[in-house]
Amino acid sequence: MIGPPSFLDLLYAEASRESFDEVVARAERDRLPEAEVEELRAQRRVALRLREQFVRQRQREAELSALYETASDLTAIRDVDAILSAIVRRARQLLHADMTYLSLNDETEGASYMRVTDGALTAEFRKLRLPLGTGLLGLVAQTGAPYHTDDYQADERFLHRDYIDTAVAGEQIRAILGVPLVVDGTVIGALLAVHRTVRTFPPAEISLLTSFAAHAAVALQNARLFEKTQAALADVDEANRQIRAHSQAVEVAASAHDQLTDVLLRGGGVADVASVLADVLEGALVVYDAERRELATAGDAVDVPVDLADAIREARGSGRSVELEIPGCGHVYVAAALAGAEHLGTLVLHRPREPLGLADRRTVERGALVTALVLLFSRSVAEAEDRVRGELLADLLSGRDTDPARLVDRARRQGADLDSPCVVAVASVRGLDRHRAAQVAARHAGELRGLGGDHEGQVVVVVPGTDATAVGEALQARIRGAGGSCTVGVVTSGPGPKAVAAAYPEALGCLSTLLTLGRSGEVSDPAGLGLARLVLGDAGPHELDAFIADAIGPVLDYDERRGTGLVETLEAWFTSGSRPAETAKALHIHPNTVAQRLDRIGRLLGAGWRDPARSLDLQMALRLYRLRRLTGPTR
C-alpha cells in the first residue's frame, strides 16, 4: 500500500495549495498522535513558504526573460514611432495593465504630452497635455522619480486639475504606476501603467516597469540617434548630389562655351548657336529677330501659347533669362540678345521636364550674347555687301563703268547673274525710310541672284527672269512685309549690262506714268499702261510698234497665218458703233459670220476686250497700225 505523498513530492509536482492542506487534514482524520499532526503542520508551513518562493522565482524569471526579449526587440527597431508604439504595447503585456501610455517632455512649454497610448478609450485622453508637476504623470516627468497610487481620484498627494481629472474619469482610471524615461541624467518623458480598479502595485511591478523604462529610454535614444545619423547621411547624399549636379553643370557650361566659341571662330550663324544650345541643354530652341520673326529652330520646339512681350521686356531690362511655367508646355526660358541697349533678337528655350539650374540658365544667357555677336557680325557683313552691291548697281544703271565684261565679273563675284535675261524693277516706297527700303530690296535681290538697292532716290531691283510682273509683285510683297507700301514699274531686258542699263529708263518711265495716273500701289510693265504710255511717254517708232503688238498682236498674227480678215472685221465693228448688223452690211457678209469672227477675236484677245478702257486702246492700236503701214511695216 502506497502512503500519502510527502510535502517534498508535492513541491516537486508543483501541486496546488489545497494538496498541502489535504496532507494535514488526512492525518487529523486518521487520528494520528497530536505531536505528529503538529509536526505535519510545521512542515506544511515550511513547504508553503518554499512553494511561494518557487512561484515568485518563476514569475521573476518569466518577467526578466520577457524584459530581455523586449529590450532586444526594441534595440532592433530604428523608427521612432515604431519604438514608442512597441514600448507601450510591451509594457502593457508585461504588467497585465488595462492601459499604458508614454509621454514626452516639451521643455520649451514646460509640459509633458501624450505621445502614444495603448488601451485608451477616449480621444481626449490621447491628446492630453500636462504641465510639469501636475498630476501623477506631470510629477514623474518633472522629478524623474517613480510614483504610484492605488486610487488616483482619491489621492491628495497630487496636484489635480479639472480637465485632467475629467480625462482620467473618462478612462475610468483608478490605480496608476508611473516611472521616468531618463537619458544621460535628463528626464525626457514618463511611462505609465494603469488599472481601472483600485489595487496596489507590489515592489516587483515597480521594479519591472522601471527596468523596462530604462531599456525603453535607451532604445528610444538609439532610434533618435539613428534618425539623426540617417538624416546626416541624407544630407551628405544631398550634398554629394548637389556637387555632382554642379560638376555636371560646370561641364555642360564649359562644353557650351567651347562650342559657342567655335561657332564664332568659324563664322557660324544663328542656326549653329541654336543647335549647340538645344543639344547641351537638352531642350528645343527658337531664335527670333527683333520683330519676332523666326530666324532658326533646333529640336522639337513647341508653339508657346502666350504673349512673350512682358517676358522679353523683363529679359531686356535685367539682362537675365526669364522663366515661364506654362501648363502643358513644361518650362520655358526667354533671353534677349542685346548689343548695348539695342534688342537684336530673342531666344526661347523649351524644357519639357525638369527646370534649368542656375549654371544652365547662365549658359542660355551666354548663348544670347553669342547670338547678338553673330547678328551684329552678319549685319556688318550685309551692310558691307550692300555698299558694294549698291556701288555696282549704280555703275550698271548710270553707265559709269563702260566695260561690260568688268561689270559682269563684278556682278558674278557678288553672286549676281547678268548673263541671263533680266527684269528691272523701279519702286517708289512709302512708309519706310530709304535705308531700310534699300536693305529690303538688296536682301530680296540677293536671294534671286540679282542686285538691289537705292539709286537716284528710287528702290531698284535687277534680277534674272522674264516675268516682269511677278518680279514686281514679289518686291512689293517684301516691302509690305517690312511695314511699307510701294508702286513698281517693271521692264524685261535682254542679257548683259547694256541691255539692263537701257531698260532702266523705261522702267522708271513706267513708274512715273503710274504715279501720274494716280495708280499708286500697282505694278505694271509698259504694256499694262495702254494708251497712257503713248500720251504721257516719249514714244518713238519702237514704242508705237510695241503698243500695237501688245494690243492687237494676236489678231494680226492670226490673219497673217490664216489669210483671214479679223483686223478688218474689228475695225468695222468699232466704226459701226459695235452693232453687228451694221458691221455685216459694211463688210457685205452675213451677220452670223460677224458673230463667228467676233467670237474668234474674243478668244485671241481674252475676256474684257469690249470694256470701254480696253476698247479705246484697241481702236488706237488699229489706227496706229494703219498709219504705220503708210510709213513702214509694223510686222
Side-chain angles (χ1 to χ4, degrees), residues 419-590:
D419 294 322
S420 303
C422 293
V423 172
V424 180
V426 184
S428 174
V429 179
R430 301 181 62 181
L432 286 181
D433 60 76
R434 288 179 56 184
H435 177 71
R436 176 62 176 153
Q439 279 186 328
V440 173
R443 299 286 188 279
H444 177 61
E447 294 170 3
L448 301 176
R449 299 180 63 242
L451 299 172
D454 180 89
H455 182 65
E456 297 179 346
Q458 304 293 344
V459 171
V460 181
V461 166
V462 178
V463 296
T466 56
D467 190 341
T469 301
V471 170
E473 290 175 348
L475 174 62
Q476 190 178 58
R478 290 294 290 267
I479 294 293
R480 189 182 301 116
S485 62
C486 64
T487 306
V488 188
V490 291
V491 171
T492 302
S493 79
K498 290 185 178 180
V500 171
Y504 169 68
E506 190 174 359
L508 185 61
C510 284
L511 173 63
S512 176
T513 301
L514 286 173
L515 296 175
T516 301
L517 294 174
R519 293 168 59 181
S520 297
E522 294 187 21
V523 176
S524 181
D525 59 2
L529 297 176
L531 182 59
R533 174 187 178 193
L534 305 179
V535 174
L536 299 176
D538 184 13
H542 173 73
E543 285 77 12
L544 294 175
D545 289 342
F547 174 72
I548 294 170
D550 289 337
I552 59 173
V555 178
L556 295 173
D557 292 339
Y558 191 87
D559 280 350
E560 185 175 343
R561 290 194 312 271
R562 302 292 182 89
T564 55
L566 295 182
V567 171
E568 182 182 9
T569 301
L570 191 58
E571 287 179 313
W573 164 264
F574 284 123
T575 301
S576 67
S578 304
R579 291 189 291 271
E582 296 295 328
T583 304
K585 184 177 180 180
L587 296 175
H588 305 290
I589 58 178
H590 195 275

Side-chain angles (χ1 to χ4, degrees), residues 15 22 31 55-56 78 93 118 147 153 155 176 201 210 222 248 287 301 321 343 384 423 500 528 535 575 584 601 628:
E22 180 61 27
R31 298 182 181 278
V55 171
R56 286 195 298 270
R78 292 292 179 263
Q93 293 171 355
D118 189 69
Y147 281 89
Q153 296 285 24
D155 199 331
I176 305 175
F201 289 96
T210 301
N222 288 342
Q248 183 179 6
V287 182
S321 60
H343 180 214
V423 172
V500 171
V535 174
T575 301
I601 291 170
R628 292 290 291 149

Side-chain angles (χ1 to χ4, degrees), residues 261-272:
T261 301
D262 182 63
V263 169
L264 288 176
L265 291 178
R266 61 183 173 83
V270 174
D272 297 309

